Amino acid sequence: MLREIADRDPKETDADAPAELKVGYQGEPGAFGEVAAAAHGGVPVPFASFEKVLEALGQGVIDEAVFPLENAIVGGITEALEPLAAGVLRGLDLVATGLTSVPVRLALSAKQGTPIGDVKRAWSHPAALRQCTQRLAAMGIEPVVCYDTAGAAKIIAADASTDAAICSRHAAEMSGLDVLIEDVSDRDQNSTRFVHLRQADHARARVPLAFLRTSSMTATTRLDVLTGATLLPLAGTPEHPVRMWVLGADAARLQALAPARDVQVVSLGQPAPHASRLPPKEGTAPAVKSLPHATARKPATVVEVGPFKVGGGHRAMIAGPCSVESPEQVMRIAREVAACGATALRGGVFKPRTNPYAFQGHGYEALEWLAAASREVKLPIVTEVMAVDQVQQVAQKADVLQIGARNMQNFDLLRAVGRAGRPVLLKRGAGATTDEWLGAAEYVMASGESRVMLCERGIRTFEPSTRNTLDLGGMLAVRPLTHLPLLADPSHAAGRADLVEGLARAAWASGADGLIVEVHDDPARALCDSEQALVPTRFAELARALALDPNAHLPLAQLRAWVDAIDHDLAELVKRRLDVARVIGDSKRQTGRAVLDPKREAAVRRTYYEALPTSKQLADKLVDLLIEAARAQQSIEE
Ligand code: PEP
Ligand code: MN
């Protein structure tokens, strides 16, 4: 059943999916775009202009569109790229799903019996004419622009002149023309690369494609070298100052390397950099049409219970023991984690154990102990339910119901928690794909609960050194597909305390909305998962390293230790900056360039002003000091 929900191939699974994929292209039947449109079994649909193709795609009249991106001889196809950029800037949410390279042979064709010496003019699409400028000039043939290659053949067929068309042999034959020259391309091996585009909510991007919107052309030079991407420059217009299309580079890298401030990276391939940390603007592209709740295109879901707030830029730290062992144990640990800035208290009262003779949890009695600790430290409770008949009673005391990894596909349980009126933390099964995970979320949501949090907790791989493998790639892959908060559980992934901090930091840095971490004040005696529990002091270090909210009522000692850690980081960064400045100086000298660059200095100052908008004086002093030190490193005399 779930496979049916999650599977993405509409032909295999979606009963009401259209039997055929309608693919729009610009031009007449017989145009090169038609070949690209049919490439993956699509049914080509012709349109008179690229704008009309986009309109049809936006209205769902066609499922896919093909646009010529670049040609082997003339490079970027401006005629297609400009309207595409304009469409995206107007709000069309498209993703690039594939590329097709179409071999191009430009046949010079005329009405039957036309001697080649009589051909004085040749009609075609401007991009095709550019591909044979030299050959036409050498033959003394004047180019005439029309809307399409195959369209040109039709025009010539209906015309009384001895003009020729430049089109495919197929188009020439369709219009009953003779092919006078098989290929008038200026170079052999001509081809055009087409991109396949779909609406973002109907498909997942597979091709990295972006464009850079900027008023400064120089800002984008060398990006191809830096990113390994193909750049397709455009003229741009005042309202749409699009200067360049970029094929092959990921948007994050482009954003990081685009040197000027006025460069905007618009991606049709991947989510924007740091999108993971920001609420999606208009929601993001879902994987599958048939998971309407979990993959709905809507702003990020924020789950809020008291001080616990996660999603849409709010980040959470859930911490506590694996299992609630005694009233004292849970109270002590609750106090510790609350003091470190945790935003929710975890603790299992029903424990899923591999061995039926292992400790199974103290059940409802422990729920009372957990509730008392929660009241004391004013943190909401996150606890697991393992069976349908536990849901109601646990929901009376718990603030968040956890579905454990082993129950991720217990569909009755998913439906039951979906009806319980409590937010749900849904762990990913150790053997579940990301689509199955989203499918499980859909069960909960379809049963009525919209506040679902997805938690990556490691999957089972061949690697024996960790209990599971924390699949941050899977977590990130889910990010553009869902509006739901994404959490990570480094404890169950690692299965050993020494790796928890590293995994937690990695998950946090990659943009997880929150973490769930097991903490125990006497791990050796813990009744469950003793190897992976962090002692409170180490949890405190972690919480500090992750820079939880400084307003989270931390005790003074914690705040001091935090400031110490920041100073340590600052000093390290300053040292690194000086090292890099020295290397820049050396490299400029080697290439004969002036080491001093007042424009760069102004740019550095702007960066500090932006980061410290209310302390301009501090920003100035810091920049003065840094520049002075950098000059000393670069051996520049005042
Ligand atoms: C837990 O959080 O205690 C737990 C059992 O987690 P998981 O279901 O991810 O193994
Ligand atoms: Mn555990």
Side-chain angles (χ1 to χ4, degrees):
M1 172 65 184
L2 187 73
R3 260 294 11 120
E4 280 171 31
I5 294 180
D7 246 324
R8 201 171 303 117
D9 189 337
K11 273 191 217 103
E12 271 174 31
T13 53
D14 224 336
D16 56 3
E20 53 188 33
L21 187 81
K22 293 199 201 96
V23 185
Y25 67 98
Q26 188 270 335
E28 297 270 353
F32 294 99
E34 188 188 29
V35 179
H40 304 297
V43 177
V45 185
F47 289 90
S49 67
F50 289 110
E51 284 82 359
K52 290 234 155 65
V53 180
L54 288 178
E55 200 180 300
L57 187 60
Q59 291 168 352
V61 175
I62 50 174
D63 307 294
E64 189 173 294
V66 284
F67 268 60
L69 279 183
E70 58 161 354
N71 170 267
I73 299 176
V74 298
I77 309 287
T78 327
E79 292 81 359
L81 295 176
E82 295 269 21
L84 179 53
V88 172
L89 292 175
R90 260 200 324 272
L92 262 180
D93 200 359
L94 303 180
V95 291
T97 58
L99 289 172
T100 295
S101 188
V102 174
V104 172
R105 289 174 67 75
L106 296 174
L108 186 76
S109 320
K111 275 211 293 298
Q112 283 178 0
T114 309
I116 190 157
D118 286 4
V119 176
K120 294 287 171 262
R121 305 197 311 165
W123 295 56
S124 196
H125 189 273
L129 290 171
R130 284 204 298 281
Q131 294 160 40
C132 47
T133 320
Q134 291 162 16
R135 292 282 301 277
L136 292 184
M139 291 188 286
I141 298 177
E142 187 195 334
V144 183
V145 166
C146 74
Y147 66 99
D148 177 42
T149 53
K154 270 174 118 177
I155 292 170
I156 298 305
D159 187 67
S161 76
T162 58
D163 287 359
I166 290 173
C167 58
S168 68
R169 166 173 271 283
H170 177 55
E173 286 169 354
M174 280 169 69
S175 289
L177 300 185
D178 272 355
V179 172
L180 305 182
I181 300 177
E182 280 293 336
D183 188 9
V184 286
S185 298
D186 284 339
R187 272 199 273 135
D188 286 345
Q189 312 249 306
N190 191 7
S191 64
T192 295
R193 210 143 48 134
F194 286 78
V195 63
H196 296 251
L197 299 163
R198 291 203 198 178
Q199 285 199 63
D201 52 352
H202 291 188
R204 194 180 279 194
R206 297 192 187 279
V207 178
L209 178 67
F211 60 82
L212 305 178
R213 193 180 187 212
T214 173
S215 51
S216 142
M217 194 64 177
T218 50
T220 54
T221 51
R222 291 192 65 235
L223 271 183
D224 51 346
V225 181
L226 293 170
T227 62
T230 308
L231 301 187
L232 311 170
L234 297 183
T237 60
E239 321 108 87
H240 297 302
V242 177
R243 292 296 182 182
M244 201 163 284
W245 277 89
V246 187
L247 178 64
D250 72 83
R253 201 159 152 65
L254 273 176
Q255 187 87 64
L257 291 170
R261 264 160 212 290
D262 66 342
V263 176
Q264 180 194 355
V265 177
V266 182
S267 173
L268 282 74
Q270 289 143 326
H274 308 304
S276 49
R277 303 240 184 119
L278 302 169
K281 250 195 301 177
E282 294 282 310
T284 40
V288 210
K289 275 193 245 184
S290 48
L291 302 181
H293 297 89
T295 65
R297 299 193 62 239
K298 62 196 279 288
T301 289
V302 180
V303 177
E304 186 171 3
V305 188
F308 175 82
K309 198 168 180 185
V310 68
H314 304 280
R315 306 184 97 180
M317 173 67 93
I318 307 167
C322 176
S323 68
V324 178
E325 299 171 6
S326 70
E328 298 76 22
Q329 175 250 18
V330 68
M331 187 66 83
R332 280 195 313 271
I333 297 172
R335 287 195 179 117
E336 295 278 9
V337 300
C340 297
T343 55
L345 175 65
R346 65 150 288 149
V349 300
F350 296 105
K351 294 305 305 174
R353 303 304 300 275
T354 304
N355 185 329
Y357 309 112
F359 172 62
Q360 302 284 307
H362 287 305
Y364 295 115
E365 198 183 359
L367 190 57
E368 300 297 334
W369 308 336
L370 185 58
S374 146
R375 280 194 299 276
E376 166 78 14
V377 300
K378 301 190 175 54
L379 289 184
I381 293 172
V382 179
T383 197
E384 177 167 354
V385 283
M386 284 174 53
V388 173
D389 62 14
Q390 294 164 357
V391 172
Q392 273 210 332
Q393 197 171 337
V394 174
Q396 282 170 14
K397 301 273 164 170
D399 302 282
V400 174
L401 300 177
Q402 175 175 321
I403 296 294
R406 291 153 194 84
N407 272 316
M408 190 205 83
Q409 286 194 321
N410 182 339
F411 302 120
D412 287 344
L413 184 59
L414 294 175
R415 286 197 191 93
V417 294
R419 291 190 296 263
R422 295 279 182 217
V424 174
L425 179 81
L426 178 63
K427 295 270 194 107
R428 177 181 176 187
T433 66
T434 52
D435 282 350
E436 287 163 344
W437 192 17
L438 287 169
E442 185 72 21
Y443 268 93
V444 178
M445 299 177 85
S447 306
E449 184 52 66
S450 58
R451 296 164 299 171
V452 176
M453 295 161 272
L454 297 169
C455 180
E456 162 59 36
R457 47 77 74 202
I459 52 175
R460 185 167 279 191
T461 69
F462 54 82
E463 176 54 56
S465 59
T466 48
R467 185 175 175 184
N468 294 282
T469 298
L470 186 66
D471 183 20
L472 291 181
M475 185 190 82
L476 291 176
V478 167
R479 167 67 68 190
L481 308 179
T482 184
H483 50 91
L484 298 172
L486 289 170
L487 287 82
D489 174 347
S491 304
H492 290 88
R496 42 190 274 198
D498 61 331
L499 304 186
V500 169
E501 181 176 346
L503 290 182
R505 292 179 76 134
W508 198 256
S510 71
D513 296 303
L515 298 177
I516 176 164
V517 179
E518 288 188 350
V519 178
H520 201 289
D521 57 354
D522 189 0
R525 293 208 178 81
L527 294 178
C528 188
D529 288 351
S530 63
E531 290 86 14
Q532 70 199 34
L534 290 186
V535 290
T537 48
R538 290 198 50 202
F539 175 70
E541 279 166 31
L542 173 62
R544 224 166 35 225
L546 301 185
L548 290 182
D549 182 0
N551 299 315
H553 311 297
L554 299 188
L556 189 59
Q558 291 279 344
L559 288 168
R560 282 216 178 104
W562 189 0
V563 160
D564 289 347
I566 292 172
D567 284 335
H568 180 266
D569 288 352
L570 262 181
E572 283 284 322
L573 280 171
V574 169
K575 179 178 175 308
R576 203 121 59 91
R577 192 186 193 286
L578 292 180
D579 287 345
V580 177
R582 181 178 45 74
V583 176
I584 291 177
D586 290 351
S587 127
K588 281 187 170 172
R589 247 183 231 106
Q590 273 164 19
T591 52
R593 290 165 62 190
V595 179
L596 257 184
D597 184 347
K599 270 202 243 139
R600 285 283 308 150
E601 207 176 298
V604 174
R605 216 170 278 280
R606 272 204 306 276
T607 303
Y608 278 74
Y609 288 163
E610 274 173 24
L612 299 164
T614 54
S615 328
K616 202 155 171 257
Q617 215 183 351
L618 173 63
D620 272 326
K621 280 194 177 153
L622 284 172
V623 174
D624 289 345
L625 283 172
L626 286 173
I627 286 176
E628 191 187 324
R631 283 187 185 169
Q633 281 285 325
Q634 295 172 331
S635 317
I636 297 173
E637 302 299 323
E638 282 297 321

